[in-house]
Amino acid sequence: MSILIYEPDPLVCSDINETLSAAFPQSQISVLETFDLSKLVENIDNIEFAVLSLRRDQLHQHLSDLSNLREWFPIVCIMNDTPRLAEAERRLRFITRPFSSGNLLSAVNGALSDPRLCQPEMP
């Protein structure tokens, strides 16, 4: 399993990495230094799920693209507060700061088991 993390705070990023490494020991975890949507798109076939810490402006700027990526792999967004989104845009999972390892794993497991995730069929 390949996991992608974006968290600008190095200490929080380390905690997320440790939590996910313990929960998914066979996984390869990659960390983005900066939020770069093109890196998500470039690795679309290799990512099993992503944990992205986003500011409200980043979320709203990239919401459509993130929702489209959600068709390929689950995304858990870490926010300072829960965003108000239209029902059609609620396909992403959110956790708010402060969060615990349990909150993170609950969101990740919920995202991984979400029946709305439709993997596109590969030719």
Side-chain angles (χ1 to χ4, degrees):
M1 179 182 293
S2 178
I3 302 168
L4 186 79
I5 300 171
Y6 168 67
E7 167 56 59
D9 183 320
L11 293 175
V12 176
C13 186
S14 177
D15 288 345
I16 293 170
N17 197 331
E18 286 178 25
T19 298
L20 296 177
S21 293
F24 304 99
Q26 301 301 318
S27 297
Q28 175 186 351
I29 298 178
S30 302
V31 176
L32 290 177
E33 296 289 322
T34 58
F35 180 71
D36 185 350
L37 197 62
S38 66
K39 292 289 185 194
L40 293 171
V41 173
E42 286 173 13
N43 294 302
I44 202 165
D45 292 328
N46 300 323
I47 298 172
E48 296 294 325
F49 72 88
V51 176
L52 308 173
S53 181
L54 301 173
R55 297 183 318 267
R56 183 178 293 270
D57 63 315
Q58 287 174 310
L59 175 67
H60 288 288
Q61 178 182 356
H62 300 292
L63 185 58
S64 177
D65 294 322
L66 291 171
S67 291
N68 289 337
L69 285 173
R70 173 64 178 83
E71 296 296 326
W72 292 88
F73 54 84
I75 298 172
V76 173
C77 295
I78 300 170
M79 306 287 299
N80 287 334
D81 58 359
T82 304
R84 298 184 201 288
L85 303 173
E87 190 61 37
E89 298 167 331
R90 293 190 180 270
R91 298 164 66 185
L92 304 172
R93 295 273 176 155
F94 295 94
I95 59 174
T96 57
R97 296 178 189 275
F99 62 92
S100 67
S101 295
N103 295 129
L104 175 63
L105 290 177
S106 177
V108 167
N109 288 326
L112 288 171
S113 65
D114 190 339
R116 293 177 296 174
L117 178 63
C118 300
Q119 289 288 343
E121 291 188 22
M122 303 304 287

